[in-house]
Amino acid sequence: MKKISVWYTLIFMFLLGFTSCELNEEFDGCPEIDITIENEPGSAVYRFAAQFDGLDDVRLTWTIDGEEIDTGNLDNLIDQILDYKFEPGKHTVCVKVADDSCPIEVCKEIEVERDANDPCPDLFFKARHHERRATYKFIADFEGIERVSYGWFINDRLVEDSAPDERNYLIWNFKEPGRYEVCIKTETPDCPEGTSYCKVIEIRESDLLCPEISFSKEIKPGTDGTYLFEANLKETDEVREILWYVNGEIVEFPNDQVDGNRILEYQFEPGIHEVCLKVITPNCPEGVRYCKEIRVGQCPDLFFEAERDGNNAAYYFYPRAFEGIDDVTLEWSVNGKHVGKSEDSPSNNPFYYQFDGAGKYEICLTIETPNCPNGITYCVVIEFD
């Protein structure tokens, strides 16, 4: 089975671009930095590994064509490696270390060519923390995903199948420290030998102690594009810092902020935006991150209220009305499986669902409209003891 290898040999080479070491004798003692590149010929998916000697616990930033992509700590394997799916053409990939005594930046040029004659899908998925640092959401993203069935594997064990009409992500809680190889694999009639794509996830003891976090959102009444976000923190006795990011940029709060940054008010321009919450605690010094995609000025702002049916493992779900709600189909899913559609006049008739019993369920509402052709989804988690 063709596979982008997770493990590779790092080859040291001379520094391609110090930001100031060559210009100032103060930085002559800076250690060398190297970026190694791994790519399957004909694939648009690349893996970059940053190797830094003599630097401990410093921040790094990856950029592609001048745009910031990912930032993290050097002592975390996932932050030392950047996986990216490119558009064809020439690109510049850089990694920069923000260190007061030795600021360093290294760049490499690549030219991406996708082999259009390769019958195998060019598999790829993204990885992000989900509610806990030891819990990840893996999101499959590759051309032809709507036509391909594939499996999710952890350390070569199949943990979930995915079909074209099912969810494109896997949420997995790692319960023990260690290094895990996460892969998606597929075989098709045109690709009978199969193909795969893998990442290595490193879980440390401290990751298991990170709190579960999330945030709620709502439009500020009487505004257009202004949202209020409130951090939801569970099992958290002490919080050192709460940080908010919009499209990768940290949001600065006024000095007189008194609520510990638990509430964010933000005015968005029309478009698609990513909002992230990061929480740092004494037991989780690297922090845990939770993100959501916000669509402004294109798709209706979805929301529904959940009301339990007495002591039954069942709920009524009441969609919040929006313009044109009675002219579109409201699709409902539980844990990624389609479970039904709302009846006529969904703004007045709740959707009722009977769950299987004890457990944790993610129920989602999805719609598509002429102004929102790619659809929008709103989800909540229901848990029964």
Side-chain angles (χ1 to χ4, degrees):
M1 182 173 280
K2 185 181 74 172
K3 179 178 178 182
I4 299 180
S5 172
V6 175
W7 304 109
Y8 39 77
T9 302
L10 294 175
I11 304 173
F12 293 98
M13 61 185 64
F14 288 109
L15 179 66
L16 295 181
F18 280 119
T19 55
S20 54
C21 284
E22 295 180 357
L23 303 177
N24 193 324
E25 294 182 359
E26 179 183 355
F27 303 131
D28 286 346
C30 290
E32 291 189 352
I33 302 178
D34 184 34
I35 302 175
T36 60
I37 303 174
E38 184 173 319
N39 168 253
E40 188 78 21
S43 170
V45 175
Y46 280 69
R47 171 165 291 150
F48 305 89
Q51 178 72 23
F52 299 82
D53 288 341
L55 296 175
D56 297 318
D57 193 26
V58 295
R59 306 298 298 177
L60 65 89
T61 301
W62 289 95
T63 62
I64 294 178
D65 300 330
E67 181 180 351
E68 184 174 324
I69 300 298
D70 197 17
T71 302
N73 281 323
L74 286 180
D75 56 353
N76 191 336
L77 179 62
I78 195 172
D79 293 325
Q80 289 179 277
I81 298 174
L82 173 66
D83 289 350
Y84 199 81
K85 183 182 68 173
F86 289 89
E87 294 295 328
K90 294 183 178 181
H91 300 277
T92 301
V93 180
C94 301
V95 64
K96 182 177 181 179
V97 177
D99 183 87
D100 292 338
S101 62
C102 199
I104 307 166
E105 184 175 24
V106 178
C107 298
K108 292 219 172 170
E109 305 283 342
I110 63 170
E111 185 163 2
V112 178
E113 295 182 3
R114 168 64 177 147
D115 183 2
N117 297 318
D118 187 350
C120 294
D122 197 15
L123 299 182
F124 182 73
F125 64 84
K126 304 172 185 176
R128 61 173 58 171
H129 294 296
H130 183 75
E131 296 186 347
R132 293 178 181 267
R133 192 168 178 86
T135 301
Y136 278 79
K137 185 174 185 179
F138 303 101
I139 307 168
D141 178 22
F142 57 89
E143 185 177 352
I145 190 173
E146 70 280 358
R147 302 186 299 272
V148 176
S149 296
Y150 52 94
W152 292 94
F153 293 77
I154 297 180
N155 290 347
D156 287 327
R157 179 173 68 90
L158 177 65
V159 296
E160 187 171 303
D161 283 316
S162 183
D165 59 345
E166 296 178 345
R167 66 183 187 183
N168 68 326
Y169 62 86
L170 170 71
I171 296 177
W172 193 261
N173 179 33
F174 296 94
K175 298 181 180 180
E176 300 289 340
R179 288 187 177 182
Y180 298 86
E181 185 183 57
V182 181
C183 302
I184 52 174
K185 302 179 183 182
T186 188
E187 296 179 7
T188 69
D190 295 330
C191 184
E193 295 183 1
T195 184
S196 68
Y197 174 78
C198 302
K199 294 180 187 285
V200 169
I201 300 299
E202 183 179 41
I203 304 297
R204 288 173 290 188
E205 191 69 40
S206 60
D207 296 334
L208 303 174
L209 300 175
C210 290
E212 181 178 348
I213 69 170
S214 63
F215 60 78
S216 58
K217 69 177 178 70
E218 64 178 20
I219 293 182
K220 186 177 181 180
T223 68
D224 183 14
T226 298
Y227 280 73
L228 296 173
F229 304 89
E230 183 174 1
N232 302 318
L233 312 179
K234 299 180 181 179
E235 304 171 7
T236 306
D237 296 330
E238 181 183 350
V239 175
R240 284 185 177 173
E241 195 169 11
I242 296 176
L243 302 170
W244 293 91
Y245 298 82
V246 175
N247 298 330
E249 298 290 333
I250 191 168
V251 178
E252 299 292 344
F253 282 83
N255 294 331
D256 58 353
Q257 186 84 4
V258 295
D259 60 3
N261 295 358
R262 288 177 180 263
I263 297 177
L264 168 68
E265 178 178 329
Y266 198 89
Q267 171 71 49
F268 292 92
E269 296 294 329
I272 301 174
H273 307 273
E274 184 184 57
V275 178
C276 294
L277 166 68
K278 183 177 181 180
V279 177
I280 299 172
T281 70
N283 291 328
C284 186
E286 294 177 14
V288 59
R289 184 184 293 242
Y290 178 82
C291 300
K292 281 185 179 180
E293 187 177 84
I294 307 297
R295 296 171 180 260
V296 179
Q298 297 176 340
C299 298
D301 185 56
L302 286 191
F303 178 78
F304 59 83
E305 295 182 357
E307 180 181 304
R308 187 167 181 174
D309 182 13
N311 294 325
N312 297 321
Y315 269 77
Y316 294 95
F317 297 97
Y318 296 86
R320 180 170 62 190
F322 57 85
E323 184 178 354
I325 186 173
D326 292 329
D327 299 323
V328 300
T329 301
L330 275 62
E331 306 281 357
W332 297 87
S333 62
V334 174
N335 291 344
K337 306 292 184 180
H338 184 265
V339 294
K341 303 176 182 180
S342 285
E343 302 294 333
D344 294 337
S345 299
S347 58
N348 298 317
N349 299 325
F351 178 73
Y352 184 82
Y353 187 77
Q354 177 75 47
F355 294 89
D356 293 334
K360 191 174 184 179
Y361 304 90
E362 182 183 53
I363 184 162
C364 297
L365 167 61
T366 301
I367 67 165
E368 294 182 5
T369 71
N371 293 326
C372 184
N374 295 324
I376 184 172
T377 299
Y378 176 81
C379 303
V380 299
V381 174
I382 302 295
E383 189 167 6
F384 297 98
D385 295 329

